Amino acid sequence: MLLPRKLAGLPAGRHAKWAILLLWVAIVLVAAPNASRLSGAVQDDSTAELPRGAQSTRVEELTARFPGGELAPGIVAYVRDTGVTAADRTRAEADRRALAAVAAGPIAPAVPSRDGRALMLTVPLADDDHLADNAGRIRDQIERNAPPGLQVRLTGPAGAALDVGDAFEKVDKALLLVTVLLVAAVLLLTYRSPVLWLLPLLTAAVSLQVTGAVVYLLAEHAGLYVADGTSSILDALVFGITTDYALLLLARYREELRRTADRHEAMRAALRRAAAPITASAATVCLGLLCLLAAAMGFNHALGPVGAIGVLGGLAVVMTLLPALLVVLGRWVFWPRIPRHGDAPPARGTLWDRVGRRVAARPRLVWVCGTAVLAALAAGLLGAHTGLDREHFLTTTPSSSIGGRLLSAHYPGDESRPIEVVSERAATPGVLAAVARVPGVAGVGEPEPSVDGRLTRTEVVLASSSGGAAADTVRAVRASAPDALVGAGAAADLDLADAQAHDRRVVIPLVLGVVLLVLMVLLRALVAPLLVVATVVASYFAALGAAWLLFRHAFGFPALDVQVALMGFLFMVALGVDYNLFLVSRVREEAARSDHRTGVLRGLGLTGGVISSAGLVLASTFGVLGLMPVTMMVQIGVLVTLGVLLDTFLVRSVIVPALALDVGRRFWWPGRLAARAAAPARPPEPARS
């Protein structure tokens, strides 16, 4: 499938190229101010990221109907192992009076523990954009001149928000800089040109600006929800995928410059031939991301359309701005290795030529051994655990978690993280009586009526606030009070885990179906798409097994975050299929000109270098997520990086060519290539890496 000649010629037109450049200058001038406002479009709506329709989400949505509105209390723990002194109580009371200025309501006196070794002060704070700032004021106050020997920690929702804000502040500005430096290094090694490497970076920068502006405008004027943390994933996705597409177009343009005297005609030919795999790649990633619209988890649901916008923005820039820039700049941009018309292609014997010959010698042995390597890595998943506790949300132990442990040691259950039971006011006595009888419930608080008097909200302290025991208690509480809603604390954890399990069951098959369909349309075959998808899925499990071994033994993480399996699968399958798609579509093109075996070897030789560079670029952009302080982001970054490298250097370069050679022309069944008799091979043209 080739791009229509007139459409392909627009960015390469002798006059149209200037119009396209001016158009993109205008777009960037408009986009840049709006893109800079994207961080302000991140909505502070905690319910939108929660499991859609779950009890805990409905409890959160009802919060505004109760006195004080939406609150995120800061809980201060004062602990002295030898027993709280009169000076400690005086200090807690002084803090209570001083913190009245930042509180969203009256602050009750500190509650002593039964063992006399702790005090707990609860400071109500508004759950708004100023939460972290107000939590910082609490921390400054309680840590100022604390009595010797008294442990003082801020915990609760406000403490957790402050810890996350502090962690992001340390790395936010460095992430994009590190990404640019890593990608620039890969491009310099690839092109060994002082100029050419700048063009993929420029297109990526423009894509980021345009994507950021579109997402911001849709968030402000069309109700698009932008979740906290989305921008980091979006930056990695847009930067990596735009640079990849730019590398693929540059490689095809270089080929055409050797065949064509006129650089405009060379670009037209490059666009027509590169458009199908690049557009199919973008369609695969976009449709895969849009499968997240079927997700139950609010964060997953929100990421789908935002990510799809980023991919389309990258596609538009690469297929219009980059071609116009290249034809304006001319051949010299490739200096010192300028492709001239009539130049002989590089001599045979490149790395990917040698790989192809060795694979072709014994293809069945090669793909069997390659698959065994993937299986061995996947075996690393044995004994893996899923579901991080709140203490491991950040890569370092946050102060709020230490405070939570202090309170758990001196108060029944975990009073810093109770569940909430919301019921009709008339039914409240019976509901609370039933809840109090549930094993695992450590205490039931006093019901708080809603502003309109129709509902009550009651805090219930569990003997264990996290883990399997807490989940079992929540299920029992819900069973004992079927007419009430149970949320917050361990109930929210349970709903999140259930939503993620639903998303894995629903979204993963949808993504596989979309990817398979796109490959079938592009390759006009069934066997090849099935084999390609199977290899990518195998590389996913291999990467997940290898990543778990790293997380457990190198990073010290006790479990995989519940988000990681789905996010990793989505990015690895959608992006991993890309490289196989570029390879197999070129193999099909070459096989149509000669015979199947020659097509496989030439396709590998012609695409090996550029796809390897693209894989390194994408691995670098996602690898930067490993610098983030959030464990989930680190795990997604490491998993996708391992998966892309496996797919680039083992699956795409070894296993897929070996399978294609072993299966033979049946690889293209039921397409015409499968039935066609082997054509006489044309004289082989040396592969270009």
Side-chain angles (χ1 to χ4, degrees), residues 286-364:
C286 281
L287 293 173
L289 285 164
L290 290 177
C291 289
L292 288 174
L293 292 175
M297 190 66 194
F299 178 87
N300 298 342
H301 184 84
L303 179 62
V306 172
I309 291 169
V311 174
L312 292 176
L315 177 67
V317 173
V318 169
M319 299 303 287
T320 57
L321 174 60
L322 180 59
L325 279 172
L326 285 168
V327 293
V328 165
L329 293 172
R331 295 174 185 261
W332 71 269
V333 77
F334 289 92
W335 186 87
R337 297 188 294 173
I338 300 175
R340 307 288 186 185
H341 177 228
D343 281 354
R348 292 183 63 84
T350 65
L351 170 64
W352 299 108
D353 281 327
R354 295 194 297 271
V355 170
R357 287 196 297 271
R358 292 181 180 179
V359 168
R362 302 189 69 179
R364 182 166 300 176

Side-chain angles (χ1 to χ4, degrees), residues 233 237 289 303 567-576 622 636 640:
I233 294 177
L237 177 64
L289 285 164
L303 179 62
M567 290 291 103
F569 181 87
L570 177 67
F571 289 121
M572 277 191 57
V573 171
L575 298 174
F622 272 91
I636 290 175
V640 175

Side-chain angles (χ1 to χ4, degrees), residues 35-383:
S36 65
R37 301 187 185 104
L38 179 58
S39 60
V42 174
Q43 300 173 35
D44 188 22
D45 182 1
S46 56
T47 61
E49 298 179 30
L50 297 177
R52 298 187 298 152
Q55 284 198 35
S56 58
T57 304
R58 293 162 65 190
V59 167
E60 186 74 20
E61 291 169 344
L62 291 171
T63 300
R65 294 181 59 177
F66 290 88
E70 296 184 356
L71 297 178
I75 302 175
V76 184
Y78 302 88
V79 177
R80 187 183 292 276
D81 293 337
T82 57
V84 172
T85 66
D88 297 336
R89 288 189 287 271
T90 300
R91 176 54 193 265
E93 178 60 23
D95 287 343
R96 184 178 76 89
R97 292 194 299 269
L99 293 172
V102 300
I107 306 176
V111 178
S113 63
R114 293 179 182 176
D115 61 10
R117 298 178 181 179
L119 298 170
M120 180 171 62
L121 181 68
T122 302
V123 182
L125 295 178
D127 190 3
D128 55 21
D129 292 339
H130 303 291
L131 175 61
D133 291 337
N134 288 332
R137 295 188 181 97
I138 294 177
R139 185 176 62 187
D140 292 342
Q141 169 63 33
I142 64 175
E143 290 181 353
R144 189 181 299 121
N145 300 320
L150 181 67
Q151 299 181 70
V152 184
R153 296 281 181 172
L154 174 64
T155 186
L162 180 59
D163 287 337
V164 172
D166 286 348
F168 272 103
E169 186 177 357
K170 297 175 183 177
V171 299
D172 253 353
K173 296 179 181 178
L175 286 177
L176 189 56
L177 177 61
V178 173
T179 302
V180 171
L181 292 176
L182 283 174
V183 172
V186 173
L187 294 176
L188 279 169
L189 290 172
T190 299
Y191 291 120
R192 284 166 271 178
S193 166
V195 179
L196 188 60
W197 67 277
L198 291 170
L199 294 184
L201 285 182
L202 176 62
T203 56
V206 172
S207 297
L208 287 172
Q209 293 297 309
V210 172
T211 299
V214 171
V215 171
Y216 167 75
L217 292 173
L218 290 176
E220 287 294 304
H221 304 293
L224 178 68
Y225 179 71
V226 183
D228 191 18
T230 300
S231 60
S232 297
I233 294 177
L234 181 64
D235 286 349
L237 177 64
V238 172
F239 206 99
I241 211 163
T242 303
T243 308
D244 278 4
Y245 294 164
L247 289 172
L248 293 162
L249 181 60
L250 277 167
R252 201 67 193 241
Y253 180 49
R254 188 199 293 267
E255 286 185 40
E256 299 300 332
L257 284 173
R258 294 193 180 101
R259 299 184 181 127
T260 310
D262 188 317
R263 67 181 187 275
H264 298 85
E265 291 301 322
M267 179 55 75
R268 287 189 184 97
L271 279 171
R272 291 180 65 235
R273 289 175 170 84
I278 291 177
T279 304
S281 166
T284 301
V285 182
C286 281
L287 293 173
L289 285 164
L290 290 177
C291 289
L292 288 174
L293 292 175
M297 190 66 194
F299 178 87
N300 298 342
H301 184 84
L303 179 62
V306 172
I309 291 169
V311 174
L312 292 176
L315 177 67
V317 173
V318 169
M319 299 303 287
T320 57
L321 174 60
L322 180 59
L325 279 172
L326 285 168
V327 293
V328 165
L329 293 172
R331 295 174 185 261
W332 71 269
V333 77
F334 289 92
W335 186 87
R337 297 188 294 173
I338 300 175
R340 307 288 186 185
H341 177 228
D343 281 354
R348 292 183 63 84
T350 65
L351 170 64
W352 299 108
D353 281 327
R354 295 194 297 271
V355 170
R357 287 196 297 271
R358 292 181 180 179
V359 168
R362 302 189 69 179
R364 182 166 300 176
L365 178 64
V366 168
W367 73 256
V368 168
C369 291
T371 304
V373 171
L374 296 179
L377 291 174
L381 279 173
L382 297 174

Side-chain angles (χ1 to χ4, degrees), residues 2 55 117 121 260 288 311 348 450 519 536 540 631 644 656:
L2 300 180
Q55 284 198 35
R117 298 178 181 179
L121 181 68
T260 310
V311 174
R348 292 183 63 84
S450 61
L519 286 172
V536 173
Y540 163 73
T631 303
V644 168
V656 170

Side-chain angles (χ1 to χ4, degrees), residues 539-590:
S539 69
Y540 163 73
F541 284 106
L544 193 58
W548 167 247
L549 294 177
L550 284 176
F551 296 152
R552 191 71 188 94
H553 301 291
F555 291 82
F557 298 150
L560 292 167
D561 188 271
V562 291
Q563 290 273 93
V564 169
L566 178 61
M567 290 291 103
F569 181 87
L570 177 67
F571 289 121
M572 277 191 57
V573 171
L575 298 174
V577 162
D578 280 359
Y579 300 136
N580 291 283
L581 187 153
F582 298 141
L583 167 68
V584 178
S585 63
R586 188 59 185 263
V587 167
R588 188 182 188 281
E589 180 182 335
E590 297 297 327

Side-chain angles (χ1 to χ4, degrees), residues 516-535:
L516 185 61
L517 183 61
V518 172
L519 286 172
M520 289 168 59
V521 170
L522 179 69
L523 302 178
R524 304 169 204 173
L526 178 60
V527 173
L530 285 171
L531 290 176
V532 167
V533 169
T535 59

